Coordinates of all heavy atoms in Angstrom, one line a residue:
V22 N 51.4 -41.1 118.0 CA 50.5 -41.2 119.1 C 51.4 -41.8 120.2 O 52.1 -42.7 120.1 CB 49.4 -42.2 118.8 CG1 48.6 -42.5 120.1 CG2 48.5 -41.7 117.7
V23 N 51.2 -41.1 121.4 CA 52.0 -41.5 122.6 C 51.1 -41.8 123.7 O 50.1 -41.1 123.9 CB 52.9 -40.3 123.0 CG1 53.7 -40.6 124.3 CG2 53.9 -39.9 121.9
G24 N 51.4 -42.9 124.4 CA 50.6 -43.2 125.6 C 51.2 -44.4 126.4 O 52.1 -45.0 125.9
R25 N 50.6 -44.6 127.5 CA 50.9 -45.8 128.3 C 50.1 -47.0 127.9 O 50.6 -48.1 128.0 CB 50.7 -45.5 129.8 CG 51.7 -44.5 130.4 CD 51.5 -44.3 131.9 NE 51.4 -45.5 132.6 CZ 50.6 -45.7 133.7 NH1 49.8 -44.7 134.1 NH2 50.5 -46.8 134.3
F26 N 48.9 -46.7 127.5 CA 48.0 -47.8 127.1 C 47.9 -49.0 128.1 O 48.1 -50.1 127.8 CB 48.4 -48.4 125.7 CG 48.6 -47.3 124.7 CD1 49.9 -46.8 124.4 CD2 47.5 -46.7 124.0 CE1 50.0 -45.8 123.4 CE2 47.7 -45.8 123.1 CZ 48.9 -45.3 122.8
C27 N 47.7 -48.6 129.4 CA 47.8 -49.5 130.5 C 46.4 -49.7 131.2 O 46.2 -49.1 132.2 CB 48.8 -49.0 131.4 SG 49.3 -50.2 132.7
P28 N 45.5 -50.5 130.6 CA 45.6 -51.3 129.4 C 45.1 -50.6 128.2 O 44.4 -49.6 128.3 CB 44.8 -52.5 129.7 CG 43.6 -51.9 130.5 CD 44.3 -50.8 131.4
P29 N 45.4 -51.1 127.0 CA 44.8 -50.5 125.8 C 43.3 -50.8 125.8 O 42.9 -51.9 126.2 CB 45.5 -51.2 124.6 CG 46.3 -52.3 125.2 CD 46.3 -52.2 126.7
H30 N 42.5 -49.8 125.4 CA 41.1 -50.0 125.3 C 40.6 -49.5 124.0 O 41.4 -49.0 123.1 CB 40.4 -49.3 126.5 CG 40.8 -47.9 126.7 ND1 40.4 -46.9 125.8 CD2 41.5 -47.3 127.7 CE1 40.8 -45.8 126.2 NE2 41.5 -46.0 127.3
L31 N 39.3 -49.6 123.8 CA 38.7 -49.2 122.5 C 38.8 -47.7 122.2 O 38.8 -47.3 121.0 CB 37.3 -49.7 122.4 CG 37.1 -51.2 122.5 CD1 35.6 -51.6 122.3 CD2 37.9 -51.9 121.4
G32 N 38.9 -46.9 123.2 CA 39.2 -45.5 123.0 C 40.5 -45.2 122.4 O 40.7 -44.4 121.5
H33 N 41.5 -46.0 122.9 CA 42.9 -45.9 122.3 C 42.8 -46.3 120.8 O 43.4 -45.7 119.9 CB 43.8 -46.8 123.0 CG 44.2 -46.4 124.4 ND1 44.1 -47.3 125.5 CD2 44.5 -45.2 124.9 CE1 44.5 -46.6 126.6 NE2 44.7 -45.3 126.2
S34 N 42.1 -47.4 120.5 CA 41.9 -47.9 119.1 C 41.3 -46.8 118.3 O 41.7 -46.6 117.1 CB 41.2 -49.2 119.1 OG 42.0 -50.2 119.6
H35 N 40.3 -46.1 118.8 CA 39.6 -45.1 118.1 C 40.6 -44.0 117.7 O 40.7 -43.5 116.6 CB 38.5 -44.5 118.9 CG 37.8 -43.3 118.3 ND1 37.1 -43.3 117.1 CD2 37.9 -42.0 118.7 CE1 36.7 -42.1 116.8 NE2 37.2 -41.2 117.7
I37 N 44.0 -44.2 117.5 CA 44.9 -44.8 116.6 C 44.4 -44.9 115.2 O 45.0 -44.5 114.2 CB 45.5 -46.1 117.0 CG1 46.3 -45.9 118.3 CG2 46.3 -46.8 116.0 CD1 46.7 -47.2 119.1
V49 N 53.2 -45.4 116.9 CA 52.6 -45.4 118.3 C 53.7 -45.8 119.3 O 54.3 -46.9 119.2 CB 51.4 -46.4 118.4 CG1 50.9 -46.5 119.8 CG2 50.3 -46.1 117.4
Y50 N 54.0 -44.9 120.2 CA 54.9 -45.1 121.3 C 54.2 -45.6 122.5 O 53.2 -44.9 123.0 CB 55.7 -43.8 121.7 CG 56.8 -43.4 120.8 CD1 57.2 -42.1 120.9 CD2 57.4 -44.2 119.8 CE1 58.3 -41.6 120.1 CE2 58.4 -43.8 119.0 CZ 58.8 -42.5 119.1 OH 59.9 -42.0 118.4
V51 N 54.6 -46.8 123.0 CA 54.0 -47.3 124.2 C 55.0 -47.0 125.3 O 56.0 -47.7 125.4 CB 53.7 -48.8 124.1 CG1 53.2 -49.4 125.4 CG2 52.8 -49.1 122.9
N52 N 54.7 -46.0 126.1 CA 55.6 -45.6 127.2 C 55.5 -46.6 128.3 O 54.4 -46.9 128.7 CB 55.3 -44.2 127.7 CG 55.8 -43.1 126.7 OD1 56.6 -43.4 125.9 ND2 55.3 -41.9 126.9
G61 N 55.0 -53.5 129.5 CA 55.0 -52.7 128.3 C 55.1 -53.6 127.0 O 54.4 -53.3 126.0
S62 N 55.8 -54.6 127.1 CA 56.0 -55.5 125.9 C 54.6 -56.1 125.5 O 54.3 -56.3 124.4 CB 57.0 -56.6 126.2 OG 56.7 -57.4 127.3
L63 N 53.8 -56.5 126.6 CA 52.5 -57.0 126.3 C 51.6 -56.0 125.7 O 50.9 -56.2 124.7 CB 51.9 -57.6 127.6 CG 50.5 -58.2 127.5 CD1 50.5 -59.3 126.4 CD2 50.1 -58.8 128.8
R64 N 51.6 -54.8 126.3 CA 50.8 -53.7 125.8 C 51.1 -53.4 124.3 O 50.2 -53.2 123.5 CB 50.9 -52.5 126.6 CG 50.3 -52.7 128.0 CD 50.5 -51.4 128.9 NE 51.8 -51.5 129.5 CZ 52.5 -50.4 129.9 NH1 52.0 -49.2 129.7 NH2 53.6 -50.6 130.5
A65 N 52.4 -53.3 124.0 CA 52.9 -53.1 122.7 C 52.4 -54.2 121.7 O 52.0 -54.0 120.6 CB 54.4 -52.9 122.6
R66 N 52.5 -55.4 122.2 CA 52.1 -56.6 121.3 C 50.6 -56.5 121.0 O 50.2 -56.7 119.9 CB 52.5 -57.9 122.0 CG 52.2 -59.1 121.1 CD 52.7 -60.4 121.6 NE 51.8 -60.9 122.7 CZ 52.2 -61.2 123.9 NH1 53.5 -61.1 124.2 NH2 51.3 -61.6 124.8
W67 N 49.8 -56.2 122.1 CA 48.4 -56.1 121.8 C 48.1 -55.0 120.8 O 47.3 -55.2 119.8 CB 47.6 -55.7 123.1 CG 47.4 -56.8 124.1 CD1 47.2 -58.1 123.8 CD2 47.3 -56.7 125.5 NE1 47.0 -58.8 125.0 CE2 47.0 -57.9 126.0 CE3 47.4 -55.6 126.4 CZ2 46.9 -58.2 127.4 CZ3 47.3 -55.8 127.7 CH2 47.0 -57.1 128.2
L68 N 48.7 -53.9 120.9 CA 48.4 -52.8 120.0 C 48.9 -53.1 118.6 O 48.3 -52.8 117.6 CB 49.1 -51.5 120.4 CG 48.4 -50.8 121.6 CD1 49.2 -49.7 122.2 CD2 47.0 -50.4 121.2
A69 N 50.1 -53.8 118.5 CA 50.6 -54.2 117.1 C 49.6 -55.2 116.5 O 49.4 -55.1 115.3 CB 52.0 -54.8 117.3
E70 N 49.0 -56.1 117.3 CA 48.1 -57.1 116.7 C 46.8 -56.4 116.3 O 46.2 -56.7 115.3 CB 47.8 -58.1 117.8 CG 48.9 -59.1 118.0 CD 48.8 -60.0 119.2 OE1 47.7 -59.9 119.9 OE2 49.7 -60.8 119.5
L71 N 46.3 -55.4 117.1 CA 45.1 -54.7 116.8 C 45.2 -53.7 115.7 O 44.2 -53.4 115.0 CB 44.6 -53.9 118.1 CG 44.1 -54.8 119.2 CD1 44.0 -53.9 120.5 CD2 42.8 -55.5 118.9
H72 N 46.4 -53.2 115.5 CA 46.7 -52.2 114.4 C 47.9 -52.5 113.6 O 49.0 -51.9 113.7 CB 46.8 -50.8 115.1 CG 45.7 -50.5 116.0 ND1 44.5 -50.0 115.5 CD2 45.5 -50.5 117.3 CE1 43.6 -49.8 116.5 NE2 44.2 -50.1 117.6
P73 N 47.8 -53.6 112.8 CA 49.0 -54.1 112.1 C 49.6 -53.1 111.1 O 50.7 -53.3 110.6 CB 48.5 -55.4 111.4 CG 47.0 -55.2 111.3 CD 46.6 -54.3 112.5
D74 N 48.9 -52.1 110.7 CA 49.4 -51.2 109.7 C 50.1 -50.0 110.3 O 50.4 -49.0 109.5 CB 48.2 -50.7 108.8 CG 47.6 -51.8 108.0 OD1 48.4 -52.8 107.7 OD2 46.4 -51.8 107.6
V75 N 50.3 -50.0 111.6 CA 51.1 -48.9 112.2 C 52.3 -49.4 112.9 O 52.4 -50.6 113.2 CB 50.2 -48.1 113.2 CG1 48.9 -47.6 112.6 CG2 49.9 -48.9 114.4
A76 N 53.3 -48.6 113.1 CA 54.5 -49.0 113.8 C 54.3 -48.8 115.3 O 54.2 -47.7 115.7 CB 55.7 -48.2 113.3
V77 N 54.3 -49.9 116.0 CA 54.1 -49.8 117.5 C 55.5 -50.1 118.1 O 56.1 -51.1 117.8 CB 53.1 -50.8 118.0 CG1 53.0 -50.8 119.5 CG2 51.8 -50.6 117.3
I78 N 55.9 -49.1 118.9 CA 57.3 -49.2 119.5 C 57.2 -49.0 121.0 O 56.6 -48.0 121.5 CB 58.2 -48.1 118.9 CG1 58.3 -48.3 117.4 CG2 59.5 -48.1 119.7 CD1 59.1 -47.2 116.7
A162 N 39.4 -54.9 123.7 CA 39.5 -55.9 122.7 C 39.5 -57.3 123.3 O 39.9 -57.5 124.4 CB 40.7 -55.6 121.8
S164 N 41.5 -59.9 123.2 CA 42.7 -60.4 123.7 C 43.0 -59.7 125.1 O 43.5 -60.3 126.0 CB 43.9 -60.2 122.8 OG 44.0 -58.9 122.4
V165 N 42.8 -58.4 125.1 CA 43.0 -57.6 126.4 C 42.0 -58.1 127.4 O 42.3 -58.3 128.6 CB 42.9 -56.1 126.1 CG1 43.1 -55.3 127.4 CG2 43.9 -55.7 125.0

Side-chain angles (χ1 to χ4, degrees):
V22 172
V23 175
R25 287 182 51 217
F26 308 101
C27 191
H30 53 67
L31 298 182
H33 292 133
S34 288
H35 173 70
I37 292 168
V49 175
Y50 283 163
V51 178
N52 285 342
S62 58
L63 178 57
R64 291 178 277 152
R66 187 173 76 232
W67 282 329
L68 287 171
E70 290 169 359
L71 292 168
H72 305 283
D74 295 331
V75 306
V77 177
I78 299 173
S164 56
V165 179

